[in-house]
Amino acid sequence: MTLPAQFKKENSENIFIYHYVEEMIADYTKYVKETFDDSDITVAELPFLIRIRFSEETTQKELVELFRVSEGYTAKLLRKFEEKGYLTRCEDPTNRRKKIVELTSRGIEKTDELIELINGWEIKVTKNMSDEEVKTLKSLLFKVVEP
């Protein structure tokens, strides 16, 4: 990662967490654009498939709330993923207005590729850390985001 000049080891405790997150997102986005060549999915769309993969059961409405995007955008994106054969949407038997979103086998294959991509980036950015430090980092990040 190439850091801005204000990022110095001697003042690392005084840098806002926001700035660290911003740099990590920028580096991840650059990594994905350089590594992942797929005309089917944009960088902005990747998180949707990954979240669906790791959700036991999710609905279209939950995705709207999770990503804080419009219902129209989510419906359009899910329709695109359906057309590509990555997922299906079906009515919830207990509430016909709800649409349950599930990956197909092709969607699982696609998310396997995405998981490899994410893992590659994690290995890249933690290469100077021990396994224990990575474990500690993930534990601390969980504390940051837990409700």
Side-chain angles (χ1 to χ4, degrees):
M1 231 180 277
T2 306
L3 295 174
Q6 77 262 24
F7 281 74
K8 293 184 173 64
K9 198 169 200 156
E10 57 271 8
N11 76 334
S12 61
E13 299 86 21
N14 298 322
I15 298 170
F16 288 115
I17 294 170
Y18 163 82
H19 287 119
Y20 289 114
V21 171
E22 187 179 57
E23 291 301 319
M24 289 172 64
I25 291 170
D27 186 73
Y28 172 77
T29 302
K30 181 181 174 199
Y31 177 84
V32 170
K33 287 180 179 178
E34 291 173 351
T35 310
F36 188 67
D37 182 27
D38 192 334
S39 57
D40 280 353
I41 303 174
T42 68
V43 174
E45 295 168 348
L46 297 177
F48 277 83
L49 277 181
I50 290 294
R51 288 296 179 121
I52 295 167
R53 169 73 181 262
F54 292 106
S55 298
E56 287 185 27
E57 184 178 279
T58 193
T59 64
Q60 190 168 317
K61 185 176 180 352
E62 289 168 346
L63 291 169
V64 166
E65 293 167 0
L66 176 67
F67 288 103
R68 296 176 181 93
V69 294
S70 73
E71 289 181 23
Y73 173 78
T74 302
K76 182 180 172 184
L77 182 57
L78 294 178
R79 190 170 29 259
K80 174 184 174 179
F81 289 158
E82 272 183 311
E83 290 168 1
K84 301 282 183 194
Y86 297 145
L87 60 81
T88 59
R89 289 183 284 179
C90 57
E91 285 182 2
D92 182 338
T94 61
N95 182 349
R96 292 179 40 204
R97 291 179 296 170
K98 278 177 130 178
K99 298 286 185 202
I100 297 174
V101 180
E102 295 176 332
L103 290 179
T104 62
S105 58
R106 185 160 187 227
I108 291 171
E109 288 175 18
K110 178 56 75 178
T111 55
D112 284 345
E113 290 176 37
L114 302 177
I115 291 165
E116 284 183 41
L117 177 79
I118 293 166
N119 192 45
W121 179 76
E122 281 193 15
I123 289 168
K124 174 187 170 252
V125 297
T126 61
K127 69 179 179 262
N128 296 325
M129 299 172 72
S130 70
D131 290 344
E132 192 59 39
E133 287 172 321
V134 172
K135 196 172 170 181
T136 300
L137 173 62
K138 288 183 177 188
S139 176
L140 292 171
L141 288 171
F142 184 81
K143 282 186 173 186
V144 170
V145 299
E146 77 179 321

